[in-house]
């Protein structure tokens, strides 16, 4: 029996990584060229890496997270503390949806270069992480967890987190553009849901996954958060994860948040791959049919007797015989 394997996509941005690697390889006593790199990341975020206008040894990095200021709320202080603790002096503050960094490349040690190469390609995760970490810390210490709503896509898709009966609940609203995407998406989501039935050591610790389509689940509707309008909910699918103590432990926070943020891009990636594969199969099938049709053509030049299904001569053939006579 043949099993399909779903590929994992990396949460580390390769463009950011390669840009920093090339910059770090330049000898300190060499002339630093001007650099300006613009790029997009998952979940409608973007980044800009450029040389400082007055000192090209300094790299300025700006990461824009879609609607960051909207869901930051009262967590500015928590966010600032985490960023300073994680990025140190490289962190230069937040302006609305933009988070700013500066790196003096000429002053970096080898250990600092390794740290930068690990942190900056994943800066989108680190920017969102404090919001989840605050909720996880409160849950571990048995304090009240304030429900929050993370509108991470302009299409109306969001992530919701709130306290359930015996676990933290994470809900995703997902909107598929076409009925094909919707059907394929539900197939993948069913696979995720059924994966827990496989009795393996790795999956035994994975959070349970559930999904529904067309109507807001009652658990989510009772949170009082801003959810999809009733008239529009039929266009959405709702996916939930249940996070238990092992998922929100201090040493698991980054891994858990990484998987939460990349569930939707992961699903979208496989939707595109599936459609591309089907188109390849369609084209191959049409090519084969055309080849068979071409091979069936009579190229001998000899005129053959043609009859209908009842055995009669074709009218065009009768006329041809009469003209010859």
């Amino acid at each position: 029996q043949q099993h399909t394997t779903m590929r994992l996509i990396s949460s580390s941005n390769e463009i950011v990584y390669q840009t920093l690697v090339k910059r770090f390889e330049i000898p300190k006593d060499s002339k630093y060229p001007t650099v300006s790199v613009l790029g997009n990341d998952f979940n409608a975020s973007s980044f800009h890496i450029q040389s400082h206008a007055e000192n090209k040894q300094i790299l300025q990095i700006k990461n824009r997270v879609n609607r960051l200021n909207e869901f930051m709320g009262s967590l500015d202080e928590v966010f600032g503390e985490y960023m300073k603790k994680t990025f140190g002096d490289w962190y230069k503050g937040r302006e609305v949806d933009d988070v700013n960094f500066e790196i003096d490349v000429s002053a970096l040690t080898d250990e600092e270069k390794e740290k930068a190469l690990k942190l900056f390609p994943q800066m989108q995760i680190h920017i969102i992480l404090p919001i989840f970490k605050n909720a996880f810390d409160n849950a571990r210490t048995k304090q009240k967890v304030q429900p929050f709503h993370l509108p991470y896509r302009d299409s109306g898709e969001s992530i919701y987190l709130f306290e359930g009966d015996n676990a933290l609940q994470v809900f995703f609203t997902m909107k598929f553009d076409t009925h094909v995407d919707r059907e394929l998406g539900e197939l993948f989501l069913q696979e995720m849901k059924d994966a827990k039935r496989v009795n393996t050591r790795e999956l035994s610790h994975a959070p349970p996954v559930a999904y529904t389509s067309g109507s807001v689940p009652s658990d989510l509707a009772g949170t009082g958060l801003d959810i999809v309008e009733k008239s529009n909910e039929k266009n959405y699918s709702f996916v939930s994860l249940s996070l238990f103590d092992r998922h929100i432990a201090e040493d698991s926070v980054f891994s858990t948040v990484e998987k939460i943020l990349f569930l939707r891009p992961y699903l979208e990636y496989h939707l595109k791959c599936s459609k591309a594969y089907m188109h390849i199969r369609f084209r191959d099938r049409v090519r084969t049919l055309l080849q068979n049709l071409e091979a069936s053509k009579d190229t001998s030049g000899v005129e053959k007797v043609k009859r209908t299904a009842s055995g009669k001569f074709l009218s065009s053939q009768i006329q041809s015989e009469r003209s010859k006579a």
Side-chain angles (χ1 to χ4, degrees):
Q1 184 179 1
Q2 186 177 1
H3 296 274
T4 57
T5 302
M6 295 180 74
R7 282 181 170 272
L8 290 175
I9 54 177
S10 174
S11 61
S12 181
N13 190 296
E14 187 67 17
I15 298 175
V16 175
Y17 180 84
Q18 292 297 337
T19 301
L20 294 180
V21 166
K22 291 178 182 179
R23 201 66 173 182
F24 293 165
E25 288 176 346
I26 300 175
K28 293 183 179 181
D29 54 351
S30 300
K31 183 178 179 180
Y32 285 81
T34 301
V35 64
S36 180
V37 178
L38 285 165
N40 294 319
D41 213 331
F42 295 108
N43 297 328
S45 68
S46 60
F47 62 87
H48 187 195
I49 305 174
Q50 63 180 350
S51 303
H52 192 282
E54 298 178 356
N55 186 353
K56 293 183 180 180
Q57 293 179 340
I58 296 177
L59 276 183
Q60 295 178 317
I61 302 176
K62 177 183 292 185
N63 190 288
R64 172 167 292 180
V65 175
N66 189 38
R67 302 170 74 176
L68 175 64
N69 193 57
E70 181 178 334
F71 57 76
M72 185 61 67
S74 60
L75 296 176
D76 255 334
E77 185 176 346
V78 174
F79 175 81
E81 289 177 358
Y82 174 83
M83 297 303 288
K84 289 176 182 176
K85 179 181 178 181
T86 305
F87 289 89
D89 293 336
W90 295 334
Y91 173 63
K92 298 301 179 183
R94 179 177 74 89
E95 298 176 358
V96 193
D97 293 341
D98 296 333
V99 182
N100 301 303
F101 306 91
E102 281 190 2
I103 307 175
D104 186 349
V105 178
S106 62
L108 294 179
T109 64
D110 290 341
E111 291 77 12
E112 289 173 331
K113 289 179 180 179
E114 290 182 9
K115 181 180 178 181
L117 290 174
K118 183 178 180 181
L119 288 176
F120 285 101
Q122 294 184 317
M123 56 186 164
Q124 182 192 165
I125 299 174
H126 286 288
I127 290 170
I128 304 295
L129 188 142
I131 303 170
F132 285 93
K133 186 177 184 304
N134 182 69
F136 295 170
D137 291 345
N138 290 339
R140 282 199 309 272
T141 56
K142 308 302 179 184
Q143 299 181 53
K144 181 177 176 58
V145 176
Q146 188 69 29
F148 70 80
H149 164 216
L150 184 66
Y152 67 104
R153 288 194 173 200
D154 290 331
S155 60
E157 297 180 61
S158 300
I159 300 174
Y160 301 85
L161 184 142
F162 56 92
E163 200 167 14
D165 293 335
N166 57 358
L168 284 180
Q169 297 294 322
V170 178
F171 266 86
F172 300 81
T173 56
M174 298 184 182
K175 185 177 182 181
F176 299 109
D177 295 330
T178 66
H179 71 280
V180 176
D181 285 359
R182 188 178 301 110
E183 293 295 330
L184 290 174
E186 290 185 359
L187 284 174
F188 283 121
L189 293 172
Q190 185 64 44
E191 286 289 327
M192 293 180 187
K193 181 179 178 180
D194 294 343
K196 283 288 289 182
R197 299 177 185 175
V198 180
N199 189 20
T200 63
R201 185 175 180 181
E202 294 82 3
L203 292 178
S204 63
H205 296 291
V209 178
Y211 82 93
T212 58
S213 296
S215 60
V216 177
S218 56
D219 291 347
L220 182 58
T223 61
L225 295 170
D226 183 19
I227 312 172
V228 177
E229 294 181 3
K230 190 75 175 177
S231 60
N232 201 27
E233 63 183 12
K234 63 181 180 181
N235 298 320
Y236 287 84
S237 292
F238 302 88
V239 184
S240 70
L241 303 177
S242 298
L243 303 181
F244 297 100
D245 290 343
R246 61 180 176 272
H247 303 124
I248 62 174
E250 187 68 35
D251 58 350
S252 301
V253 171
F254 184 87
S255 177
T256 299
V257 174
E258 176 187 24
K259 291 174 175 59
I260 289 173
L261 293 180
F262 280 81
L263 176 62
R264 184 63 174 97
Y266 172 79
L267 180 61
E268 186 172 17
Y269 169 79
H270 282 88
L271 289 178
K272 292 183 183 298
C273 289
S274 297
K275 290 194 290 184
Y277 176 72
M278 286 191 292
H279 281 290
I280 291 171
R281 292 293 301 272
F282 292 156
R283 286 193 292 269
D284 287 344
R285 181 61 175 160
V286 170
R287 189 180 300 111
T288 301
L289 291 173
L290 290 175
Q291 288 173 349
N292 293 339
L293 185 61
E294 188 68 25
S296 67
K297 290 182 178 179
D298 183 11
T299 58
S300 64
V302 179
E303 188 173 352
K304 296 180 180 180
V305 176
K306 298 178 182 179
R307 296 175 182 268
T308 64
S310 62
K312 296 180 180 180
F313 288 100
L314 294 174
S315 58
S316 59
Q317 187 169 291
I318 294 174
Q319 293 175 2
S320 177
E321 292 295 331
R322 287 176 179 175
S323 62
K324 291 179 180 179

